Amino acid sequence: VQLQASGGGLVQAGGSLRLSCAASGRTFSSYDMGWFRQAPGKERELVAAIRWSGASYYADSVKGRFTILRDVAKNRMSLQMNTVNPEDTAVYFCAAGPISGLLPDTRWDYWGQGTQVTVSS
């Protein structure tokens, strides 16, 4: 089972960036998928998550700016990041876990490698 994240890079404050995550090795249609990020010296935090039904969750810090999308048939997920600011600078990880209860409380069993996002002021 593999999750492959891509799309990170350097972007100016106020700009946009789109991250992608490709899943392989199994069908994730019955799994929640999510994006986490970890900034230097900080704990990893859940940024956004999505269920196969389309139900989604966003951290307060990204609501209205980020959009999580998912193509269940293609086992792919993306994170559209708009109006970014320097506080969004972090390594972003995609993750997947079996559906259980509330979306933010998913047990994230599978992790991809991180992709660096750097926002310049």
Side-chain angles (χ1 to χ4, degrees):
V1 175
Q2 285 190 325
L3 298 174
Q4 182 75 34
S6 61
L10 176 64
V11 60
Q12 288 189 332
S16 298
L17 201 64
R18 189 179 183 99
L19 305 182
S20 295
C21 179
S24 61
R26 68 166 298 144
T27 300
F28 282 89
S29 58
S30 61
Y31 277 60
D32 293 332
M33 297 189 75
W35 287 97
F36 285 74
R37 67 185 180 187
Q38 187 166 22
K42 295 187 177 181
E43 293 186 355
R44 186 174 298 189
E45 64 171 343
L46 177 62
V47 175
I50 190 166
R51 189 155 285 177
W52 68 270
S53 61
S56 59
Y57 163 87
Y58 294 93
D60 288 343
S61 58
V62 305
K63 280 181 182 177
R65 301 188 298 120
F66 291 9
T67 302
I68 188 169
L69 299 169
R70 180 172 179 177
D71 187 331
V72 175
K74 294 183 178 179
N75 260 3
R76 297 184 68 88
M77 174 181 65
S78 63
L79 184 70
Q80 178 66 41
M81 305 167 61
N82 296 330
T83 320
V84 297
N85 57 61
E87 288 69 41
D88 296 320
T89 295
V91 178
Y92 284 71
F93 302 86
C94 59
I99 295 173
S100 62
L102 297 176
L103 191 55
D105 300 326
T106 300
R107 188 186 77 241
W108 302 100
D109 288 344
Y110 302 102
W111 292 85
Q113 91 294 354
T115 184
Q116 177 71 47
V117 172
T118 302
V119 181
S120 62
S121 57

